[in-house]
Amino acid sequence: MPQLKAYPGRIIFDHLPKTGGSAVARWLARGMGSGCVSPHIDDEHQSLIRRHGGQYSVLCAHVSYLKAEGLDPRYSYATLLREPIDRILSSLYFALTNHGDHQLWGLVPLVRRFLDSDGADLAERLLPHVSNTYVEHFCRIDGDGTEDPPTRLRNALAALQRYEVVGVYDQLESFLASFGALLEQADMPQLERVNATVSRPGAAQVSPALRARLLELNQLDLQLYQAARAIAASRPAAATATASRWQHFERAPAYSVQTGDLAIAQATLREHDEITAGGSMHFDLELTAARRIPQLLLGIHIKDSDGRLVYGVHSGMLGALQDGLDAGRHRLSYSVTAALPAGRYTAGFAVVEVLKDGQRDLAWHDSLCAFEVQLPAASVGMGYADLSAQLLTNAAPPVVDAAIRHAPGALLAHTPLPAMRCKHRYRIAVDLRHDGAETWHGDGPRPVMLSYHWLRPDGVPCVYDGVRTPLPAAGVAPGERLAWHVDVDAPAAPGAYQLVLTALQENVAWFENLGFEPARLALQAA
């Protein structure tokens, strides 16, 4: 049978944690190609489809469902379950033996306390990881998770029955055969061992008290798991194809350049792989030059987990053209503020030689450092004692943490504007118009601020993240017009510039990308 083009179907592999899903995802990617199968993703169901459905035939993800959104009829769904107590022990000891205390958003010490106390010390943050994880996951496909336990179990079972492929961990070969048949693939590779827990006891080796506690916490999951076994057993055995129908398809490799004139020997992040949002990142780049290079552009580019460019800059944009490097080894450093939403990112680097008649890429690596940005942990006090203080109040308004997705409005600057001297701060009077439907809150974890960009005459930014100017504490209501101001630092070097006065929601988006019209002003700095 002649092979057709790359597999065009739409499938979501609902990867439940510590069920062998990472190995299955790698098996899929090796068999069908990285152009068909997504890398591992953590995302909400509809966001997953919206962001990645056009790029891949098969989406492999830790999926989260919101309230009663249902399954997408355009997609087939597959999942793999593991005996609940065994899965939880694997998950707990994976956290404990594969990670340090500073990783996993502070969950590791909570896991240690839970295990040391035979399950008696259970922090609220840890509860979703050790109690009825399966039911709480699947019940939200048809419900909102607030129903009584029997209803949540029924909803979870009804949703699971609509999955095209349901497997159980101890019958992995049967699951892989069914999944391969759904994909119309016959010659899939052998499964590899991926993300294995370094060390863990078996379910029969833990203390009776801990086992009893886990059984108590997972009565619904134990029932759902037995139903999943029955679903898997009731479905007909997959027909074995003699040949795969679809061609293997790999994504085009990222742009990369290596020359004999210069090599990037190593790139390291001093803060390791976990960064607190708003903190500083320091990248050290080790270079080896085979000859003297008179003039260079040094660049850094940061991409998100979807491969989209988040930020890129080179020394020319920063007005710091590198004079040159002699032959030999050199260390260069970059300092970048992690003003990024929580998530996974990569940093890549480029070295470009500046010639009289143009430029030549000497070394370009799309991704050399991977890191994760996490939201800062809440501070609980100062001093050497923990007094477990609580704040009790009935009058405080709720904290608003909603991301604004549409922000129509405009900013108008008052004229005439002051003459600007380099490196001085000025206050520019503005009128802010809010044409949207959501209040722009000036406080909370995601406040709306006024800010600016400085652009060169050719439109290239020289300062993108300007000084923030807070809005009034009460915020700006829909339809409101506000006479306010923007604090602006003049550029460091004299010249002609364009000043773009705008607004943003911290850790979400600049408003000019959400329907907002900024003020654009031509200015001269002296």
Side-chain angles (χ1 to χ4, degrees), residues 193-205:
R193 188 175 173 85
V194 181
N195 282 351
T197 302
V198 171
S199 175
R200 54 152 292 185
Q205 297 172 308

Side-chain angles (χ1 to χ4, degrees), residues 293-298 315 321-322 324-325 351-354 362:
I293 302 168
Q295 200 167 51
L296 295 175
L297 287 174
L298 305 171
S315 51
L321 197 66
Q322 181 71 33
L325 296 177
V351 183
V352 179
E353 183 176 15
V354 180
L362 297 179

Side-chain angles (χ1 to χ4, degrees), residues 257-312:
V257 172
Q258 299 182 66
T259 65
D261 293 329
L262 184 140
I264 298 177
Q266 185 180 18
T268 56
L269 178 58
R270 295 180 203 169
E271 291 78 14
H272 305 293
D273 61 349
E274 293 187 353
I275 308 295
T276 301
S280 294
M281 300 183 290
H282 299 87
F283 296 95
D284 293 321
L285 201 62
E286 304 285 344
L287 304 177
T288 302
R291 61 173 175 83
R292 172 162 176 76
I293 302 168
Q295 200 167 51
L296 295 175
L297 287 174
L298 305 171
I300 181 172
H301 43 270
I302 294 175
K303 296 186 177 182
D304 63 17
S305 57
D306 300 335
R308 298 175 298 184
L309 181 65
V310 175
Y311 176 72

Side-chain angles (χ1 to χ4, degrees), residues 74-350:
R74 300 169 296 176
Y75 279 79
S76 297
Y77 291 76
T79 194
L80 181 66
L81 287 79
R82 184 176 185 174
E83 196 282 324
I85 306 305
D86 187 52
R87 188 204 68 82
I88 290 172
L89 287 172
S90 179
S91 177
L92 293 174
Y93 280 93
F94 181 74
L96 201 61
T97 62
N98 291 53
H99 299 85
D101 284 4
H102 66 288
Q103 296 176 304
L104 298 182
W105 304 279
L107 284 176
V108 176
L110 305 183
V111 169
R112 186 178 294 109
R113 283 164 40 191
F114 178 78
L115 293 172
D116 290 346
S117 66
D118 285 334
D121 188 349
L122 175 56
E124 185 175 353
R125 282 188 61 211
L126 189 61
L127 182 63
H129 301 274
V130 298
S131 178
N132 294 321
T133 304
Y134 292 155
V135 169
E136 294 304 320
H137 173 75
F138 291 108
C139 79
R140 284 172 168 78
I141 295 174
D142 293 332
D144 63 7
T146 62
E147 300 87 358
D148 60 81
T151 303
R152 294 205 305 276
L153 179 59
R154 286 195 299 272
N155 286 345
L157 179 57
L160 189 61
Q161 288 172 328
R162 300 203 299 277
Y163 277 53
E164 278 73 14
V165 180
V166 175
V168 290
Y169 186 78
D170 58 0
Q171 297 175 9
L172 197 54
E173 288 188 5
S174 175
F175 169 77
L176 297 178
S178 297
F179 208 169
L182 177 65
L183 298 165
E184 300 177 89
Q185 298 285 335
D187 51 353
M188 296 291 280
Q190 293 294 314
L191 200 69
E192 297 179 5
R193 188 175 173 85
V194 181
N195 282 351
T197 302
V198 171
S199 175
R200 54 152 292 185
Q205 297 172 308
V206 300
S207 70
L210 177 58
R211 180 168 178 79
R213 178 64 166 147
L214 292 175
L215 289 170
E216 173 194 356
L217 290 168
N218 289 278
Q219 288 300 304
L220 297 180
D221 265 14
L222 290 165
Q223 296 177 64
L224 184 67
Y225 177 70
Q226 292 305 317
R229 293 185 67 91
I231 292 172
S234 67
R235 294 184 175 175
T240 303
T242 57
S244 294
R245 185 181 180 196
W246 304 102
Q247 291 181 352
H248 189 98
F249 172 53
E250 295 289 344
R251 293 181 68 85
Y255 179 70
S256 178
V257 172
Q258 299 182 66
T259 65
D261 293 329
L262 184 140
I264 298 177
Q266 185 180 18
T268 56
L269 178 58
R270 295 180 203 169
E271 291 78 14
H272 305 293
D273 61 349
E274 293 187 353
I275 308 295
T276 301
S280 294
M281 300 183 290
H282 299 87
F283 296 95
D284 293 321
L285 201 62
E286 304 285 344
L287 304 177
T288 302
R291 61 173 175 83
R292 172 162 176 76
I293 302 168
Q295 200 167 51
L296 295 175
L297 287 174
L298 305 171
I300 181 172
H301 43 270
I302 294 175
K303 296 186 177 182
D304 63 17
S305 57
D306 300 335
R308 298 175 298 184
L309 181 65
V310 175
Y311 176 72
V313 71
H314 59 68
S315 51
M317 294 180 182
L318 299 174
L321 197 66
Q322 181 71 33
D323 288 337
L325 296 177
D326 291 325
R329 293 182 62 87
H330 303 271
R331 171 178 287 182
L332 303 173
S333 297
Y334 297 81
S335 178
V336 182
T337 300
L340 297 166
R344 297 289 303 176
Y345 299 87
T346 60
F349 301 89

Side-chain angles (χ1 to χ4, degrees), residues 443-456:
D443 55 9
R446 298 181 181 182
V448 174
M449 302 275 198
L450 300 184
S451 188
Y452 58 90
H453 317 303
W454 280 110
L455 310 181
R456 300 187 189 281

